[in-house]
Structures are given as C-alpha cells and as structure tokens.
Amino acid sequence: MSRAAYWAARQAPPRPLDKLMLIAFADHADKITSECFPSVAALCEWTGCDRKTVMKSVASLEAAQLLIDTGRRCGRTRQIKVYRLPIETVPETVSLSERVPETGPLNSTVFPTKESQKRDTEPPKEPISQKTSSSSRKRTHAKADIPADFVPIMTGKTAAVVAGWPPGRLETEIEAMADWHAKEGKQSADWQASWRTWVRTSTRWANTNEQSRQAGRSAPNRGSARDAIVTAFDRVDFG
C-alpha cells in the first residue's frame, strides 16, 4: 500500500462514499508531491459511481479540507483541477545511537552485574511453537458486525467486476450485503474478504441467468437469484 493510500484509509470523511473517492484520489497521487488530477471519467471508472455522484463527493472532500485545490489546471482544456492531499509529514526515525542502552560500547561483552546475575538464575525459556503463535494470531481477529462506515477496497478481479457495473449498483450491493448480514446475525473477521465473496457470488449468478436466457430457458427473476445468493452465503464461514 502506498503512503497516500495508507493516509486516505485512516481518514474519516463526512460520508462512506467520500472515503472511497478519497482512496481513488490517493491511487492517482504523485509519490513525492502528493498531487493528483484524475478526470471525472477516470473517477467514475475507478469507483463505479455516476458522474453526478463523483462531482458531489469531490465537493464534499474539498469542503472537509481533505482535497486541497492548488489553483493549477491541466488537461487539453486546462479545466481539470490539480489537487494536493494534505498528508502529514512522516516523523523522523530515532537514530541508532539514541536507541543503544547506556551499558557500554555497542560491541562490548560486559554486562551490568544485576543483568548478568539475572540471566544466570533464570531457567531457560522454551521456544513458542509456530502452531501456538498462529492460533494466538487468529484469536486477535475476532468476528464483528459490519462497520457503519464500511468502504470496500477495490483491487484485482473485484475492481474489474465493479468497474463493469451500471451506475448506482455499487451502493445497492453494499447495502444489500449489510442488510443480509444484519438480518441473519452474521459477523466476519475480515469484511473486505466477505465483500469479495459477495461480488463473486453475485457475478456467478448473473452469468448463470445470462446463459439461461441464451439457451432459451426462462431465467430466474431477480428475487430468486438473490435468494440463491443468500443460500450460498449461508454455507460460507466468515471467520
């Protein structure tokens, strides 16, 4: 993840959709200057939103000071605004000399008396097995309800699928996934992974309906397709 994308993911814009738009700007940002100037068409393709929704979200981000207008314009018509992301300066790292404890030179083999005695009297510690460490890591990622400000991160095949959706479907699918999980009392330890599963399942049933129509058979209506998706999700473990 780039520095700009990491910064954008930690922000809290007025609306969840604004956060998705901010991540889209971060994906187009210069690594050094943090300046970006994606066109409205590029933002529509990246987010899957229509032109009106994109322009409204950009205005919201400007008002929240999350997009800074540099005053410059680019493009063939010189009408595309050049924005700058107000990324904070990365704090300087502590030098090596400041981290060395005051126990003598770095290569010295002489230890303080108390530390030496402690090492001599302490029983040897058994190394923690890799299996135990793995289970401990799993326990730290407990299942939880879907966040109220959940915004899917578009990567790989999921981004390609969403880019082909008609305007408005992205918001519809996010709401449908949230409503179904709330109704069924389902929780997940990784909601981004759950979102990718939701997109794959929805796409698979859409392809099945298209094949049925081409074969001359009556395709199931949207309600039955949604029921099939829900049935498939009942068999998925969201841990």
Side-chain angles (χ1 to χ4, degrees):
M1 179 182 294
S2 67
R3 178 169 173 261
Y6 177 77
W7 171 84
R10 293 172 62 87
Q11 304 309 305
R15 303 178 305 164
L17 183 59
D18 295 341
K19 189 167 187 177
L20 176 63
M21 199 66 58
L22 185 60
I23 295 175
F25 271 92
D27 190 52
H28 291 81
D30 185 90
K31 294 182 179 180
I32 300 176
T33 64
S34 299
E35 292 182 351
C36 45
F37 42 90
S39 64
V40 175
L43 293 173
C44 290
E45 181 179 358
W46 202 98
T47 61
C49 300
D50 56 34
R51 183 181 181 88
K52 183 177 179 181
T53 302
V54 167
M55 297 181 68
K56 181 178 179 181
S57 181
V58 171
S60 176
L61 291 172
E62 282 193 70
Q65 297 287 314
L66 292 174
L67 285 179
I68 306 301
D69 187 355
T70 63
R72 304 201 310 275
R73 301 294 182 266
C74 66
R76 289 180 297 178
T77 60
R78 295 293 176 181
Q79 294 182 354
I80 300 178
K81 292 183 179 181
V82 179
Y83 291 101
R84 179 178 58 82
L85 301 179
I87 301 177
E88 298 178 356
T89 304
V90 177
E92 297 181 358
T93 57
V94 180
S95 62
L96 178 62
S97 60
E98 295 178 353
R99 287 181 284 156
V100 175
E102 298 179 358
T103 57
L106 184 62
N107 296 327
S108 175
T109 58
V110 179
F111 298 96
T113 304
K114 292 184 178 179
E115 288 293 329
S116 179
Q117 292 177 351
K118 185 177 181 180
R119 290 191 179 93
D120 293 339
T121 57
E122 283 185 346
K125 295 182 180 179
E126 296 182 359
I128 300 176
S129 64
Q130 185 177 0
K131 182 178 180 180
T132 303
S133 301
S134 176
S135 61
S136 300
R137 286 195 297 270
K138 289 182 179 180
R139 286 196 296 270
T140 59
H141 298 283
K143 293 184 179 180
D145 296 329
I146 185 170
D149 59 347
F150 172 75
V151 175
I153 298 176
M154 304 301 175
T155 57
K157 294 182 179 179
T158 303
V161 172
V162 174
W165 284 355
R169 182 174 174 182
L170 174 62
E171 295 86 346
T172 300
E173 292 294 342
I174 293 176
E175 292 179 2
M177 185 182 75
D179 292 343
W180 180 82
H181 282 82
K183 178 182 177 181
E184 298 296 327
K186 298 283 187 178
Q187 294 181 322
S188 176
D190 186 348
W191 282 105
Q192 294 298 337
S194 299
W195 164 251
R196 292 192 295 270
T197 302
W198 181 272
V199 172
R200 287 195 302 269
T201 305
S202 178
T203 303
R204 184 165 60 251
W205 279 100
N207 294 337
T208 301
N209 291 343
E210 181 64 23
Q211 293 174 0
S212 298
R213 285 193 293 270
Q214 293 178 357
R217 299 191 297 271
S218 59
N221 57 34
R222 182 171 179 82
S224 61
R226 180 65 65 187
D227 292 340
I229 295 174
V230 169
T231 301
F233 259 71
D234 285 334
R235 298 193 296 268
V236 176
D237 181 11
F238 292 94

